[in-house]
Amino acid sequence: MTATIGGSVMGQISWLAAFERYLRSEKQLSPHTVRNYLYEIHRAAEIIFSIPKGTSIEEYDRQWLAVNRDQLQAVLSKLHRQGLSPRSLSLCLSSLKQFFEFLVREQAIKVNPAKTLNAPKQAKPLPKNMDLDAVTHLLDIDADDPLSKRDKAIMELFYSSGLRLAELASLDINDIDFSQNEVKVMGKGSKQRVVPIGKMAIEAINSWCECRADLAKIEAGDALFISQKGTRLSHRSIQLRMKKWGQEQSLSAKVHPHKLRHSFATHMLESSADLRAVQELLGHANLSTTQIYTSLDFQHLAKVYDGAHPRAKKAKGK
């Protein structure tokens, strides 16, 4: 690996190279997440260190091993003054904590200097979902040509099984078990899960598969969803097609993959109140991630209360 620090290209930096291998192989983080972590560490280095051109790997390593808490606090303070959002500052701090924890694990240092640092609290925006009528209207399309059948199958599957965009785009035909009405999904951290597929989604996928062979080219391999050119459908193409259908169906809100995933989670929780089951279906590692949907459910209940309870209506009329 080569790293750019302060505009100069250096050779392989041993601790960062080892940390990158650790993130990829042991933590099994996605390439995107690994790139983000390394970027944040390089950005911190530009603030903390003076790196003359030609600095040796050994010297650079020594500087990292001597970093203290005050220096890291200064990094966060400077980035905050530059206008970085709480979310970006949190990512920077998380990257530094992971890196120094790795150095502790490797016995390169004794104490993680980032351990007691805190990032600014982030406002947690609630995910936006569609109500049942809007979802039904979106999915009620005339699928009378191959691309429309494909798009209907995609949207039905998003809503039926709550998949992430990357999970759906990477599906192969053999990931669908038509006999059991299930889909095998490779989620974040290369964690596999099996999720049920509803009857209407299965019917839509079957309808699409009947005409898929007419478009497929050898480059598509076993990809379930392919483009008009016969190759695996990209993330961007899926997003644009869903946006198009939202407009054609005259929906007021923008339609995108995560909105159907959020709608799936919200409607499942409203119907079942089984938070752990929804957690498993969504592939969330932590229950706290799923608990955001309880806030959505409460908002719904609050609206019903405000509109129906006599005392609530009187209070609003004052």
Side-chain angles (χ1 to χ4, degrees):
M1 181 185 79
T2 59
T4 303
I5 305 294
S8 62
V9 178
M10 303 167 60
Q12 190 180 56
I13 300 172
S14 57
W15 281 124
L16 286 183
F19 180 58
E20 180 179 8
R21 286 194 296 271
Y22 166 73
L23 293 177
R24 291 184 186 279
S25 59
E26 294 194 39
K27 297 281 286 185
Q28 294 189 327
L29 299 183
S30 70
H32 177 73
T33 302
V34 172
R35 282 196 302 272
N36 284 343
Y37 273 27
L38 295 178
Y39 172 79
E40 294 299 337
I41 292 169
H42 291 323
R43 176 155 62 177
E46 290 176 350
I47 296 172
I48 299 172
F49 306 141
S50 173
I51 310 292
K53 190 173 182 179
T55 299
S56 68
I57 296 171
E58 291 78 11
E59 176 59 27
Y60 188 75
D61 275 348
R62 276 196 293 272
Q63 292 193 54
W64 268 120
L65 300 183
V67 166
N68 60 47
R69 185 185 187 279
D70 289 343
Q71 289 174 303
L72 298 179
Q73 182 65 68
V75 169
L76 296 177
S77 298
K78 182 170 183 177
L79 293 176
H80 179 65
R81 291 195 300 272
Q82 290 175 351
L84 252 69
S85 67
R87 183 183 181 89
S88 297
L89 288 171
S90 181
L91 174 61
C92 178
L93 181 55
S94 176
S95 305
L96 291 168
K97 283 185 175 182
Q98 291 269 5
F99 178 50
F100 285 109
E101 199 57 44
F102 169 75
L103 294 179
V104 170
R105 168 189 146 142
E106 296 298 311
Q107 300 182 349
I109 58 176
K110 291 183 178 180
V111 178
N112 181 344
K115 188 172 184 178
T116 59
L117 291 175
N118 295 308
K121 288 186 177 180
Q122 301 179 50
K124 293 186 177 180
L126 294 176
K128 296 178 181 178
N129 64 291
M130 301 165 64
D131 62 36
L132 183 56
D133 288 341
V135 173
T136 302
H137 185 61
L138 173 67
L139 299 179
D140 186 22
I141 62 176
D142 293 326
D144 52 5
D145 65 89
L147 295 188
S148 295
K149 290 181 179 181
R150 179 201 65 193
D151 295 346
K152 182 176 177 64
I154 286 172
M155 293 189 293
E156 286 279 8
L157 186 53
F158 270 130
Y159 181 62
S160 166
S161 305
L163 305 189
R164 299 179 177 94
L165 173 58
E167 293 170 348
L168 183 137
S170 65
L171 288 177
D172 289 335
I173 295 174
N174 58 11
D175 289 327
I176 306 292
D177 185 339
F178 290 98
S179 65
Q180 298 296 319
N181 290 1
E182 295 174 341
V183 57
K184 183 172 62 179
V185 179
M186 186 61 71
K188 287 185 176 181
S190 299
K191 292 180 180 178
Q192 192 177 90
R193 69 184 190 279
V194 176
V195 185
I197 306 175
K199 178 183 176 182
M200 298 183 77
I202 280 288
E203 289 176 357
I205 294 169
N206 266 316
S207 180
W208 154 242
C209 286
E210 288 173 2
C211 53
R212 175 192 173 279
D214 296 334
L215 293 176
K217 292 183 179 178
I218 192 168
E219 306 96 277
D222 294 325
L224 176 59
F225 297 114
I226 59 176
S227 69
Q228 195 169 13
K229 295 180 180 179
T231 57
R232 184 182 291 273
L233 201 60
S234 69
H235 294 194
R236 185 60 178 155
S237 294
I238 294 172
Q239 291 169 328
L240 289 174
R241 293 294 291 185
M242 289 185 63
K243 180 180 179 181
K244 166 189 172 292
W245 282 112
Q247 292 169 342
E248 288 200 5
Q249 296 297 85
S250 302
L251 295 176
S252 57
K254 290 183 180 179
V255 176
H256 53 79
H258 252 60
K259 186 163 286 187
L260 282 184
R261 174 172 161 86
H262 294 324
S263 301
F264 160 83
T266 306
H267 298 165
M268 283 292 297
L269 192 56
E270 287 175 352
S271 300
S272 69
D274 192 333
L275 195 62
R276 289 205 174 273
V278 174
Q279 176 193 4
E280 290 294 325
L281 291 169
L282 292 172
H284 286 160
N286 300 309
L287 188 62
S288 59
T289 309
T290 318
Q291 284 173 330
I292 191 170
Y293 294 104
T294 62
S295 299
L296 289 172
D297 193 36
F298 179 79
Q299 283 190 339
H300 170 72
L301 291 174
K303 286 180 181 178
V304 172
Y305 176 86
D306 287 342
H309 195 285
R311 291 288 190 184
K313 287 192 286 188
K314 284 181 181 178
K316 291 177 76 173
K318 283 184 178 180

